[in-house]
Amino acid sequence: MIKLEHVSKYFGPEKKTAVDDISFEVKEGETLVLLGTSGCGKTTTLRMINRLLEADSGHVYINGKEIQSLPPEILRRSIGYVLQNTGLFPHYTVSENIGLVPSLLQWDKNRIRERTTTLMDKLRLPAATYADTYPQQLSGGQQQRVGLARALAADPPVLLMDEPFGALDPLTRISVRREFKALDEISHRTIILVTHDVEEAFELGTRICLMNEGKIQQLGTAADLLFRPANTFVSSFLDPQRLQLELKSLHIRDLWNWLPAATSPVSKQLTAQSTCWEALEAITTQPVSVVYEQEQKLIDGNGLMAAIAAYKN
Ligand SMILES: Nc1ncnc2c1ncn2[C@@H]1O[C@H](COP(=O)(O)OP(=O)(O)OP(=O)(O)O)[C@@H](O)[C@H]1O
């Protein structure tokens, strides 16, 4: 769906390298997260995909078509773009902001109104209350949802998101992120999301591309990065949050072979798809059992920790 081949970008008279020969592919419906510390080239990479920046070398393809072959304004109509500071127009109402791209595409007024209302309802901003308000009358979390609705309005197959939850306070950030993940409008889209927040990357990414100094250090699933790091940069980057990330990334089914059998029936609250984090939350009061592939296993604190240790060895 999206393919980068040996893409590089340099800035300034000294041709300082911002992005250094990176290649990756994002499949249809996948969310790829570009993760890394400030200045590692995430935003530059993202902006070369919608041609807000031009690559100095290499090729970018969307659906097999090289993006250079399309005028930037046509290209951008099929790519939703969400920014940290939302980029909403302050003198446009919420519904005018959301309907911007459909208007440019010359949809008729009824279709724009219908689409705007649908999106506002889905994003918990009922049109009756918010359609005629202005962005500055909304909270940060609400403005972020308007920014997302605007990016989704013309139903683009591709969504590029640059620190979309970055301006929100930690609690709002977690709830807006959960809502985003659960949104049916998101599930079928191909998304590239930039963040420096490891937990966010692990929660939202189908795969994660960890960058440093313009280069890809590793591109893989959360489990690849955690348990099969490509180099010491990758493991040290994750170390500060390692325990939490491991508990949230490992599922009961991953540990199945190392968990003890349940000898007597115990209350069942978990499934094999539950994460170890969810299991720990559930077993704070009593052990639980899980049935998977016609076997019943016991989940208690000691058994779970021993199974995690065995999995890692
Ligand atoms: N327009 C520009 N002119 C000169 N240098 C730039 C420009 N844009 C980015 N850079 C430099 O390129 C490098 C990569 O920047 P980029 O914004 O892509 O990093 P980032 O990983 O997105 O960082 P952040 O998380 O802080 O946004 C940095 O060293 C930055 O200073």
Side-chain angles (χ1 to χ4, degrees), residues 9-12 16-19 36-47 53 84 162-163 194-196 211 214:
K9 179 73 188 172
Y10 317 102
F11 285 115
K16 191 171 158 274
T17 306
V19 171
T37 47
S38 184
C40 71
K42 309 179 295 290
T43 296
T44 305
T45 302
L46 197 73
R47 289 161 74 95
L53 285 171
Q84 173 173 345
D162 196 349
E163 294 277 5
V194 163
T195 185
H196 62 268
M211 297 177 70

Side-chain angles (χ1 to χ4, degrees), residues 115-185:
R115 178 68 177 148
T116 308
T117 307
T118 304
L119 279 169
M120 291 186 73
D121 286 343
K122 284 187 180 176
L123 287 159
R124 292 198 302 110
L125 291 163
T129 315
Y130 294 103
D132 299 325
T133 55
Y134 288 85
Q136 61 273 25
Q137 295 172 274
L138 304 180
S139 71
Q142 289 171 327
Q143 288 183 25
Q144 206 54 37
R145 295 206 286 266
V146 176
L148 180 59
R150 186 176 66 176
L152 293 170
D155 209 9
V158 172
L159 206 54
L160 303 181
M161 310 184 81
D162 196 349
E163 294 277 5
F165 315 112
L168 307 175
D169 66 79
L171 277 182
T172 313
R173 187 178 177 125
I174 291 170
S175 68
V176 174
R177 200 159 77 197
R178 288 213 175 120
E179 278 172 27
F180 167 76
K181 208 178 158 188
L183 209 60
D184 64 344
E185 288 275 344

